[in-house]
Amino acid sequence: MEVKEPSPAYARQHYTIEEYLQMENAATEKHEYYQGEIFAMSGAKLQHNIVTRNLLVWLTNKLKGNPCQPFCSDLRIHVEKNTLFTYPDLSVICGEPLSLNNDGMNFLNPSIICEVLSPSTKDYDREAKFKLYRDIPTLKEYILVDPLPAQIEAYFINTHGNWELIEYKSIHQTLVLPTIQVSIDLKDIYEGTKVTG
């Protein structure tokens, strides 16, 4: 997937949601939108792409026949409460996918969002973006995957309704996704990368 770069893509400082959607529908590249600003997205490195592909393929196979469906970074997510439009590396929607004004393009109800970290966006993904994602009423898990080294931060809503963190720091561990009741070995997530041990 493309990596989000937190810098405005256009010289003008403020756009309406309608203007953004009109430009984005005609664009050949992806852009993120937040509170009137439009941000360009740039290409991702090989490790990032391998990890994202492994997760998508694994989840696609595991969730066949399941009401929960995984989607790649072409699926645009909209957070109505704070105006964010973005393209997560991977998202899982459980049940009927709901979109803004039933447009079939800007989806509102992911249960899981996964971002694969890059040096330029990891702080944004961990902090500001996670705060924005928490405004999604249906979101139950937020997974941050570092493509090198093998490290995953898995946030989930606990029984008290609070976000809780489990960290995975070894290729020999197994990532648990309680919302969809599945688990995946880190060695499968990192297969084909330079990560070992």
Side-chain angles (χ1 to χ4, degrees), residues 35-97:
Q35 293 189 346
E37 289 188 279
I38 295 175
F39 301 89
M41 298 168 68
S42 62
K45 293 185 178 180
L46 181 62
Q47 294 272 118
H48 183 289
N49 281 296
I50 291 173
V51 167
T52 304
R53 178 204 63 203
N54 288 348
L55 277 166
L56 180 62
V57 169
W58 185 89
L59 283 172
T60 299
N61 290 331
K62 196 74 174 179
L63 294 176
K64 281 182 180 177
N66 191 296
C68 297
Q69 302 177 69
F71 296 92
C72 68
S73 62
D74 284 334
L75 191 80
R76 188 163 60 222
I77 297 294
H78 174 47
V79 186
E80 289 187 287
K81 186 174 180 180
N82 58 46
T83 78
L84 178 69
F85 287 84
T86 188
Y87 298 84
D89 287 304
L90 191 146
S91 54
V92 176
I93 294 178
C94 294
E96 183 69 25

Side-chain angles (χ1 to χ4, degrees), residues 2-32:
E2 317 262 299
V3 177
K4 297 130 194 106
E5 295 294 343
S7 58
Y10 300 98
R12 187 172 144 196
Q13 293 302 303
H14 191 273
Y15 294 84
T16 66
I17 288 175
E18 292 73 20
E19 288 172 325
Y20 161 73
L21 292 175
Q22 185 176 17
M23 289 187 292
E24 193 69 353
N25 291 340
T28 57
E29 298 177 343
K30 297 174 185 174
H31 302 85
E32 187 173 280

